[in-house]
């Protein structure tokens, strides 16, 4: 049978349709599995010997720790104040907020975070955080069983992450001044 | 009078300039009618008055505004006799001149609005001015031979007037050029944010420049000097260029900020000065005498806020003159000065503006307020009987309230204080009133402000720069031992016949132990709420006009600070609350008996953490950012223990220990070294240098540092 150009074109179109259909099927499968593996994005960083994390959505910026003005007579957790995009923010010691924590190297980074009430503040940090994920189910389970601001969650590779709930952290901490002085 | 169309633009600028000049003349006239001015001061004011009137005349003539030139000329004539003899200006003459200025300004504004042709012939107004002029014999004694009373414009030909005219035209041109821009508040706010961002970019450029320098230094340390020479030269050149670019950017940011400030704010005096005239005229009209004093007129505020406040201030002052102040005879009978004192005080603290209007009049008669409220139906008798004094006083803010029985030009229509309250509340502010019978009344307006700047005195306590509102600083002086009375608990300064307590700012802020001032140490006389102290600081850096921003929630409640301002290099300056400075420091001073620790670390966060841990253990903690600073602190104060970082840039922990062990006073002082390096070699190095204890920073978790400190102190026989 003589193959006409028209038939070639039709064959190519059919082949392309098959290809697209296969791709679409693969994407649909991926979408379904994604739902099963819903994740919670976090910014993970070291604090002393342990690994801590903040929800990535609360992180606004990571800045070098400089140009911080100490505030005499402020609460122990307050390192000082700094300017950020025209605002005056507090720089707070995360180790102090967590109740006294050793550290491996002097913090050199400030993480500007949203505290959960729409306000910003900066937390000190030993290194620039790494964006990564935790299984959403594990985060929700940890949130349900934990009353405090720090939730212990294991990653898929069995690493322990201390995930900080900023809203709870600031609700339970008093960062007010040392009024007696 | 017709104005050349080509000159119309210039006339608009001239009117604006004339308004400023007339404001200055008005202020001088109000000053000159005061009692007790010395002849030298009088002479100076007369010279200024003459010059300003001459400027008005010359500028008007150069623009062809003959009517205005004639009015100014007539005012010069009226001034001439008293000016020549430097005598106190009679009230009648002040009235004439003020009236003439009003006439001048009304016509100038009409010309500027293009209504010059509709103005009535000035002849009758000029005739009125002639009628109001001083007695002929007085004027004749000093009148020029050329007959200055003639309506002419000789000034236009004089060199001085030509200069003034040129200046007026230049300014008019610049005004005209600027007059075309209209921007929304949102656009300006957005621009301000961009300028803030630019400042942060400038800081990053500076940081990059420092990084380049570090790279060049590192390359030089590699030992391959010849091989890296070209790269180092290139890096150094780039670093220098970056620094220059950074400095230029800094200048641009400063200029932009200044420009934006000028656009968005203006000094409060621009609305307060015209009120002087209003107070004067109203007092005259009511047969009273009043003098308005303004404190804090240099504070600059958001223009929109000022415009809205102007009406409220007019109401408050009119109310004070009409209802508050007594007639001169009544005042003298009550043992007061015949001239009533009105005071307007403006102060910005953080993002709050305090505006206080007070008088020393008869005060609010609560009985009269009750009766009036009932009579006018503002409140029922039943309601007023249940109100306390403060609530009765607040009735004056209700609509329809007025204690005046008759309706006059000034008051009596029951419209006034309710309008003031409405205006203040529309700005999200509040108004309060306090009054003492026979002594006076005080209205305090508290308003939130986003924009605006205040004069601040920048001082240093140890390494900490802080700002103090200029309003609170009465004087500065250097401490002289003969003027000090040093007691066991505190020192006092003999100042203007009083003994003022001396407050050491560093100690008050918990940065060091209290100590009497040294000879030559700067002392600031700070006053707030009727109290004064001598504040000892380590240096006075200078005064700045700064925008004070509110502090974030975590430090907002610290009573010592009212806000923070940005200095030119981008760093924040904390601003003190004057009421805290003058407050009772004795009861809040840290007990001398508590154990004292000195933390030495070049990391701000490490210092903060150590401080937190030690304070939790009952220690009084002072901080030093370097070994050198620690040695300074140890020479001035005594400590029970030193906690020191092993690895610091200038002087490391082992070097500091060597210095301490060399000095007799600190030879036995317990020292604990801390280090980020948790290694046996670091520990050995520290202990060999003479440290009494060693901890890695990893080990400095809650309790561990404190335990080590107490252990070391116990072993060394210190009080624990």
């Amino acid at each position: 049978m003589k193959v006409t150009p028209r038939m070639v074109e039709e064959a190519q179109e059919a082949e392309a349709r098959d290809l697209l259909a296969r791709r679409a099927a693969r994407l649909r499968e991926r979408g379904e599995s994604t739902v099963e593996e819903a994740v919670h994005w976090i910014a993970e960083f070291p604090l002393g010997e342990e690994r801590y994390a903040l929800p990535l959505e609360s992180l606004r910026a990571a800045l070098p720790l400089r140009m911080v003005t100490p505030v005499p007579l402020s609460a122990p957790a307050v390192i000082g104040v700094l300017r950020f995009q025209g605002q005056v923010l507090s720089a707070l010691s995360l180790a102090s907020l967590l109740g006294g924590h050793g550290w491996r190297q002097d913090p050199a980074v400030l993480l500007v975070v949203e505290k959960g009430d729409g306000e910003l503040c900066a937390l000190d940090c030993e290194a620039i955080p790494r964006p990564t994920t935790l299984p959403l189910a594990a985060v929700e389970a940890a949130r349900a069983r934990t009353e405090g601001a720090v939730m212990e969650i294991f990653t898929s590779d069995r690493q322990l992450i201390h995930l900080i709930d900023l809203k709870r952290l600031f609700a339970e901490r008093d960062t007010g001044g040392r009024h007696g002085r | 009078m017709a104005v050349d169309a080509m000159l119309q633009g210039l006339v608009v600028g001239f009117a604006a300039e004339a308004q400023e000049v007339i404001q200055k003349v008005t202020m001088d006239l109000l000053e000159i009618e005061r009692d007790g001015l010395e002849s030298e001061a009088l002479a100076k004011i007369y010279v200024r008055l003459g010059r300003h009137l001459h400027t008005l005349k010359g500028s008007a003539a150069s623009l062809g505004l003959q009517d205005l030139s004639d009015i100014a000329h007539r005012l010069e004539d009226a001034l001439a006799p008293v000016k020549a003899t430097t005598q106190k200006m009679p009230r009648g003459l002040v009235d004439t001149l003020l009236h003439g200025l009003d006439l001048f300004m009304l016509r100038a504004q009409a010309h500027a609005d293009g209504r010059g042709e509709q103005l009535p012939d000035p002849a009758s107004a000029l005739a009125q001015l002639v009628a109001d002029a001083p007695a002929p014999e007085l004027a004749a004694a000093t009148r020029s031979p050329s007959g200055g009373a003639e309506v002419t414009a000789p000034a236009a030909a004089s060199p001085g007037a030509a200069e003034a005219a040129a200046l007026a035209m230049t300014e008019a041109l610049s005004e005209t050029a600027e007059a075309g821009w209209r921007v929304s508040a949102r656009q300006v706010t957005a621009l301000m944010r961009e300028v803030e961002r630019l400042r942060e970019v400038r800081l990053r450029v500076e940081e990059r420049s420092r990084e380049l320098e570090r790279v060049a230094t590192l390359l030089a340390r590699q030992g391959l000097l010849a091989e890296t020479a070209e790269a180092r030269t290139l890096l150094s050149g780039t670093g220098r260029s970056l620094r220059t670019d950074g400095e230029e950017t800094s200048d641009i940011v400063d200029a932009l900020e200044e420009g934006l400030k000028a656009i968005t704010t203006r000094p409060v005096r621009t609305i307060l000065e015209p009120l002087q005239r209003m107070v004067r005229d109203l007092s005259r009209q009511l047969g009273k005498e009043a003098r308005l004093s303004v404190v804090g007129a240099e504070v600059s505020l958001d223009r929109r806020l000022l415009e809205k406040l102007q009406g409220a201030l007019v109401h408050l002052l009119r109310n004070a003159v009409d209802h508050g102040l007594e007639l001169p005879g009544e005042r003298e009978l009550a043992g007061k000065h015949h001239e009533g004192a009105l005071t307007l005080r403006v102060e910005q603290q953080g993002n709050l503006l305090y505006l206080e209007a007070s008088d020393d009049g008869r005060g609010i008669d609560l009985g009269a307020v009750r009766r009036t409220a009932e009579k006018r139906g503002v409140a029922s008798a039943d309601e007023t009987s249940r109100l306390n004094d403060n609530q009765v006083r607040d009735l004056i803010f209700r609509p329809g309230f007025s204690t005046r029985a008759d309706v006059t030009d000034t008051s009596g229509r029951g419209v006034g204080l309710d309008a003031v309250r409405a205006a203040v509340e529309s700005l999200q502010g509040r108004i309060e009133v306090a009054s003492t019978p026979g002594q006076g009344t005080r209205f305090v307006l508290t308003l939130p402000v986003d924009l605006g700047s205040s004069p601040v005195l920048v001082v240093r306590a140890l390494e900490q720069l802080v700002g103090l509102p200029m309003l609170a600083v009465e004087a500065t002086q250097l401490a002289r031992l003969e003027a000090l009375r040093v007691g066991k608990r505190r020192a006092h300064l003999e100042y203007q016949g009083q003994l003022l307590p001396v407050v050491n700012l560093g100690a008050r802020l918990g940065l060091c132990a209290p100590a009497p001032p040294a000879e030559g140490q700067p002392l600031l006389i700070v006053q707030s709420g009727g109290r004064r102290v001598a504040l000892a600081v380590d240096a006075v850096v200078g005064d700045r006009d700064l925008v004070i921003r509110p502090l974030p929630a975590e430090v907002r409640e610290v009573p010592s600070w009212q806000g923070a301002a940005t200095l030119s290099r981008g760093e924040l300056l904390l601003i003190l609350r004057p009421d805290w400075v003058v407050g009772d420091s004795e009861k809040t001073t840290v007990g001398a008996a508590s154990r004292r620790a000195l933390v030495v670390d070049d990391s701000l966060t490490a210092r903060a953490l150590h401080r937190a841990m030690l304070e939790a253990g009952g220690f009084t903690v002072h901080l030093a950012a370097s070994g050198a600073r620690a040695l300074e602190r140890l020479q001035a104060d005594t400590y029970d223990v030193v906690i020191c970082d092993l690895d610091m840039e200038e002087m490391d922990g082992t070097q500091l220990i060597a210095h301490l062990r060399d000095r007799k006073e600190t030879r036995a002082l317990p020292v604990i070294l801390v280090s980020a390096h948790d290694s046996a070699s670091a520990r050995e190095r520290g202990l060999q240098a003479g440290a009494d204890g060693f901890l890695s920073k990893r080990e400095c978790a809650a309790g561990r540092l404190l335990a080590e400190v107490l252990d070391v102190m116990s072993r060394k026989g210190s009080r624990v």
Side-chain angles (χ1 to χ4, degrees):
Chain A
M1 188 174 72
K2 190 181 175 186
V3 179
T4 63
R6 172 81 182 150
M7 290 173 74
V8 171
E9 277 178 18
E10 282 173 356
Q12 284 174 340
E13 274 179 22
E15 200 175 317
R17 272 198 300 274
D18 283 350
L19 180 66
L20 289 172
R22 284 199 302 275
R23 282 183 184 172
R26 276 207 304 272
L27 282 171
R28 275 196 299 275
E29 281 169 24
R30 197 176 292 175
E32 282 156 16
S33 65
T34 307
V35 171
E36 285 169 13
E37 296 170 13
V39 291
H40 183 65
W41 278 94
I42 56 169
E44 187 228 315
F45 53 88
L47 178 57
E49 297 297 299
E50 290 159 337
R51 293 171 70 183
Y52 275 75
L54 295 163
L56 193 62
E57 64 193 15
S58 66
L59 186 63
R60 294 287 177 276
L63 313 168
L65 198 160
R66 57 179 175 78
M67 301 289 279
V68 176
T69 302
V71 183
L73 305 182
S74 58
V78 177
I79 301 168
V81 286
L82 74 152
R83 283 157 33 98
F84 176 72
Q85 294 182 348
Q87 282 186 69
V88 181
L89 302 188
S90 299
L92 305 172
S93 160
L94 187 58
S96 189
L97 284 175
L98 293 172
H101 204 294
W103 66 105
R104 274 200 306 193
Q105 53 183 336
D106 294 331
V109 178
L110 281 175
L111 305 180
V112 178
V113 296
E114 199 261 295
K115 294 190 291 181
D117 57 0
E119 299 282 311
L120 299 180
C121 77
L123 298 172
D124 67 349
C125 183
E126 291 178 34
I128 293 175
R130 187 173 66 96
T132 183
T133 58
L134 286 172
L136 186 60
V139 173
E140 284 173 354
R143 185 168 284 133
R145 70 170 179 266
T146 313
E147 284 186 359
V150 181
M151 296 170 275
E152 292 186 345
I153 301 168
F154 282 96
T155 61
S156 50
D157 55 350
R158 306 303 301 158
Q159 295 262 11
L160 177 63
I161 299 269
H162 298 82
L163 179 62
I164 301 168
D165 183 323
L166 289 170
K167 201 168 182 175
R168 288 183 186 176
L169 180 71
F170 287 105
E172 70 188 29
R173 299 298 304 186
D174 172 22
T175 51
R178 291 172 291 170
H179 298 266
R181 297 183 34 195
Chain B
M1 185 172 291
V3 176
D4 188 323
M6 289 181 68
L7 286 177
Q8 185 57 39
L10 298 179
V11 172
V12 174
F14 164 74
E17 186 216 21
Q19 188 158 24
E20 283 178 23
V21 174
I22 284 173
Q23 185 56 40
K24 288 176 187 163
V25 175
T26 304
M27 296 306 290
D28 276 343
L29 288 172
L30 298 183
E31 182 73 11
I32 213 165
E33 71 173 348
R34 269 179 57 207
D35 288 328
L37 272 187
E38 289 181 5
S39 59
E40 196 181 333
L42 266 176
K44 277 186 184 169
I45 296 175
Y46 275 123
V47 168
R48 274 205 305 270
L49 281 172
R51 202 168 52 226
H52 286 322
L53 291 177
H54 200 65
T55 301
L56 287 175
K57 182 169 74 174
S59 303
S62 70
L63 292 170
L65 304 171
Q66 195 56 48
D67 58 329
L68 296 183
S69 179
D70 290 346
I71 293 170
H73 183 72
R74 196 72 73 175
L75 296 178
E76 277 186 301
D77 279 349
L79 179 70
V82 280
K83 183 183 172 194
T85 54
T86 319
Q87 56 185 293
K88 186 191 164 197
M89 190 179 283
R91 283 225 160 138
L93 182 54
V94 176
D95 287 341
T96 302
L97 292 173
L98 289 173
H99 173 62
L101 291 172
D102 289 344
L103 185 64
F104 186 102
M105 200 56 234
L106 278 173
R107 295 184 75 94
Q109 198 53 56
H111 285 301
D113 295 345
R115 294 182 285 109
E117 286 188 31
Q118 299 161 23
L119 284 171
D121 191 296
S124 60
L126 285 170
Q128 183 64 39
L129 275 181
V130 172
D132 290 343
E137 62 275 18
L138 186 60
T142 51
R143 190 159 293 174
S144 68
S146 62
E150 293 291 323
V151 178
T152 58
S158 74
E163 277 172 28
L167 183 67
M169 288 179 82
T170 313
E171 290 187 3
L173 275 172
S174 61
E175 282 282 332
T176 311
E178 286 169 10
W181 301 101
R182 273 178 189 274
V183 290
S184 73
R186 205 176 59 240
Q187 285 171 304
V188 176
T189 313
L191 264 179
M192 289 166 101
R193 273 202 297 272
E194 293 305 309
V195 173
E196 280 284 347
R197 284 183 57 204
L198 187 57
R199 189 181 282 285
E200 281 161 19
V201 169
R202 206 272 300 170
L203 293 171
R204 288 205 294 274
V205 168
E206 201 173 81
E207 184 67 22
R208 302 280 178 274
S209 152
R210 279 198 291 272
E211 281 167 9
L212 275 182
E213 276 173 22
R214 279 199 289 275
V215 172
T217 313
L218 278 175
L219 276 176
R221 283 187 195 160
Q222 298 300 308
L224 306 167
L225 292 179
E227 287 84 342
T228 60
E230 193 182 339
R232 281 186 288 117
T233 308
L234 193 63
L235 280 174
S236 299
T238 311
R240 274 196 301 277
S241 306
L242 261 181
R243 262 199 310 282
T244 313
D245 290 348
E247 283 160 11
E248 192 180 341
T249 316
S250 183
D251 291 344
I252 294 169
V253 172
D254 286 347
L256 282 171
E257 280 195 338
E258 278 304 309
L260 278 169
K261 200 161 81 179
I263 290 169
T264 53
T265 68
R266 61 174 173 151
V268 185
R269 71 175 159 73
T270 55
I271 67 159
L272 297 187
E273 283 177 355
L275 300 179
Q276 303 267 13
R277 168 76 190 279
M278 188 273 289
V279 167
R280 186 250 179 215
D281 288 352
L282 183 61
S283 315
R284 290 268 285 150
Q285 188 188 329
L286 298 172
K288 295 182 179 180
E289 290 180 37
R291 179 159 181 74
L292 174 64
S293 305
V294 177
V295 183
E298 291 312 311
V299 171
S300 286
L301 293 172
D302 189 331
R303 285 167 180 267
R304 295 166 296 174
L305 178 78
L306 282 180
E307 276 165 25
K308 287 182 181 167
L309 274 180
Q310 196 162 17
L313 289 177
V314 168
H315 272 306
L316 285 177
L317 289 175
R318 288 174 72 86
N319 196 63
V321 174
D322 191 21
H323 295 281
L325 296 185
E326 309 93 332
L327 291 164
E330 255 181 87
R331 291 182 60 86
E332 282 175 346
L333 278 175
K336 297 179 183 177
H337 191 275
H338 58 86
E339 191 179 63
L342 302 176
T343 307
L344 271 179
R345 194 169 185 283
V346 185
E347 188 177 354
Q348 191 180 349
Q349 286 193 13
N351 60 339
L352 284 180
L353 174 74
Y354 296 95
L355 220 154
E356 189 180 297
S358 58
D359 67 69
D360 68 344
R362 57 172 68 93
I364 296 174
D365 179 347
L366 293 181
V369 171
R370 266 201 180 90
R371 288 191 296 278
T372 308
E374 289 165 16
K375 191 174 152 196
R376 296 201 169 216
V378 172
S380 66
D382 182 45
E383 192 185 346
T384 58
S385 65
R386 282 185 276 110
L387 299 179
N388 62 30
D389 286 357
N390 284 338
Q391 290 166 325
V392 172
R393 219 171 278 127
D394 281 348
L395 289 172
I396 62 175
F397 294 113
R398 297 238 186 132
F401 184 89
S402 174
T403 51
R404 187 163 286 284
D406 53 333
V407 173
T408 66
D409 286 348
T410 317
S411 53
R413 295 189 187 278
V415 178
L417 289 176
D418 65 314
V420 173
R421 185 166 72 174
V424 171
E425 287 176 351
S426 75
L427 295 164
Q428 278 78 52
R430 66 173 192 275
I431 182 167
E432 289 156 305
V433 59
S435 182
T436 308
Q439 290 183 26
T441 304
R442 191 175 76 236
F443 289 90
V444 181
L445 282 65
T446 310
L447 297 143
V449 284
D450 295 326
L451 300 170
S453 60
S454 309
V456 168
L457 187 67
V458 182
V459 298
R460 184 170 59 77
L462 299 178
E463 287 86 54
Q464 181 102 27
L465 287 182
V466 299
L468 195 56
M470 275 289 208
L471 271 177
V473 182
E474 198 176 296
T476 60
Q477 58 176 247
L478 299 179
R480 289 175 300 108
L481 293 181
E482 62 267 25
L484 291 170
R485 303 284 172 269
V486 182
K488 275 187 182 174
R489 297 182 66 193
R490 70 186 316 171
H492 285 82
L493 173 75
E494 244 186 60
Y495 180 76
Q496 293 179 345
Q498 276 189 306
L499 276 181
L500 303 186
V502 177
V503 175
N504 180 305
L505 181 59
R508 189 92 167 91
L509 292 174
L511 304 175
C512 62
E519 175 81 21
Q521 187 171 357
L523 296 175
L524 314 180
I525 310 301
V526 180
Q527 56 80 25
S528 176
R531 300 181 71 170
R532 289 197 297 185
V533 298
L535 186 69
V537 300
D538 292 316
V540 175
V541 178
D543 60 316
R544 309 273 188 278
D545 194 34
L546 298 173
V547 177
I548 302 175
R549 296 170 192 281
L551 288 169
E554 294 79 10
V555 287
R556 200 170 294 148
E557 301 304 319
V558 183
S560 41
W561 309 111
Q562 61 164 276
T566 308
L567 293 175
S568 58
R569 285 175 55 81
E571 67 272 38
L572 285 174
L573 177 80
L574 293 167
I575 311 294
L576 283 164
R577 280 186 196 279
D579 55 346
W580 177 82
V581 173
V582 302
D584 189 0
S585 59
E586 286 205 8
K587 67 180 178 194
T588 56
T589 303
V590 176
S594 69
R595 296 163 301 182
R596 300 210 306 197
L598 178 66
V599 171
V600 191
D601 203 309
D602 56 3
S603 160
L604 179 64
T605 51
R607 290 198 299 275
L609 272 166
H610 290 318
R611 185 189 77 177
M613 292 169 187
L614 291 164
E615 281 184 348
F619 279 83
T620 296
V621 183
H622 294 155
L623 308 172
S626 69
R629 296 286 181 217
L631 290 174
E632 284 173 18
R633 293 261 35 82
L634 285 158
Q635 278 181 344
D637 291 343
T638 54
Y639 293 94
D640 296 299
V641 64
V642 173
I643 294 90
C644 177
D645 187 18
L646 175 64
D647 303 295
M648 293 185 292
E649 277 194 6
E650 287 170 17
M651 179 192 295
D652 70 17
T654 61
Q655 291 168 311
L656 177 65
I657 290 176
H659 279 284
L660 296 182
R661 299 303 180 231
D662 272 353
R663 284 180 59 217
K664 187 181 158 198
E665 302 79 27
T666 53
R667 193 163 293 151
L669 181 62
V671 180
I672 294 167
L673 283 177
V674 291
S675 174
H677 299 293
D678 188 11
S679 65
S681 62
R683 190 175 295 268
E684 194 180 326
R685 185 159 71 97
L687 295 174
Q688 272 185 354
D692 299 293
F694 184 95
L695 280 177
S696 72
K697 290 185 175 177
R698 185 179 53 81
E699 293 171 313
C700 286
R704 181 74 177 85
L705 174 70
L706 194 60
E708 180 74 9
V709 165
L710 295 176
D711 181 45
V712 165
M713 285 174 67
S714 170
R715 278 193 277 122
K716 297 277 285 189
S718 309
R719 58 194 177 128
V720 179

